[in-house]
Amino acid sequence: MTKLTPKQSKNSSAARASAPGFWRCMAAIVYDALLLLAVLFLATALLLPFNSGQAFTSNQIFFPVYLLAISFAFYGWFWTHGGQTLGLRAWKIKILTVDQKPLSWRHALLRFCAALLSWTVVGCGFLWLMVDKNQRSWHDHLSKTALFMSPPDK
C-alpha cells in the first residue's frame, strides 16, 4: 500500500472537493427547471377542480404562493435528502454546507430565498460564479452552502 505525501493527499482532497464550472451549473439548472415545470403542471392540475376548472386570475394570491411552496418543497427535499436534485445528480454536482455537511431545512430555505433574489437581479447572483474565486453564487454565500463535484460512482 502506497502512503500519500501531505502534498498528494492535499491535492486529492482538493480534487474531490472541487467546484463545478459555470456551464455545468447552468446545465443542471435547466435540467431541474424542466423537472420543476412538470411538477408545477401536476400541482396546478390537482388544484383546478377547486377553482371550478377555471384558469387562475392575477387577483388570486393563493395560487402563486402555492406554486412557490411547491417549488421550495421540490428543491428543499432534494437538497436535504442527499444534496442532489436530479439535475445535480446528472451533472455530478452536490450541494453541501461550506464545511461539507448535509443541508438542513434552514439552509435549504435560506438558499431557496437567496436564489430567488439572485434571479430577480437579472441573474447576476448566478453570473457571480464566473468572478468569485471560490466559484460560489450569491445564494451560496448567503446560505453558507457550496457546490462540489460529487465523487464518481463505483
Side-chain angles (χ1 to χ4, degrees):
M1 185 163 123
T2 309
K3 191 171 184 176
L4 293 175
T5 65
K7 186 176 181 180
Q8 287 173 322
S9 64
K10 190 176 187 179
N11 288 344
S12 63
S13 66
R16 247 182 297 145
S18 66
F22 175 76
W23 293 110
R24 182 176 285 261
C25 292
M26 291 301 110
I29 287 171
V30 168
Y31 190 109
D32 285 335
L34 293 173
L35 293 170
L36 179 61
L37 185 64
V39 169
L40 294 178
F41 273 118
L42 178 62
T44 299
L46 292 173
L47 205 58
L48 278 176
F50 299 105
N51 199 38
S52 304
Q54 299 295 315
F56 292 93
T57 62
S58 59
N59 63 353
Q60 291 174 311
I61 190 67
F62 170 74
F63 184 64
V65 172
Y66 168 73
L67 293 182
L68 196 61
I70 295 292
S71 299
F72 171 66
F74 172 82
Y75 285 111
W77 191 87
F78 281 111
W79 292 343
T80 59
H81 291 83
Q84 293 178 302
T85 58
L86 296 175
L88 292 174
R89 182 169 295 189
W91 288 95
K92 301 193 182 335
I93 302 171
K94 192 167 193 170
I95 298 175
L96 299 168
T97 62
V98 288
D99 53 352
Q100 296 190 15
K101 291 186 170 43
L103 267 65
S104 65
W105 278 99
R106 181 181 171 277
H107 283 110
L109 180 61
L110 282 170
R111 183 177 174 80
F112 182 78
C113 292
L116 291 176
L117 174 68
S118 291
W119 279 120
T120 58
V121 189
V122 196
C124 288
F126 288 90
L127 294 173
W128 192 255
L129 279 168
M130 296 192 301
V131 296
D132 187 81
K133 67 178 180 174
N134 296 320
Q135 293 181 306
R136 292 176 61 208
S137 62
W138 288 356
H139 47 282
D140 289 326
H141 286 285
L142 291 170
S143 64
K144 296 180 178 35
T145 61
L147 298 176
F148 297 94
M149 292 300 296
S150 56
D153 295 332
K154 293 185 180 182

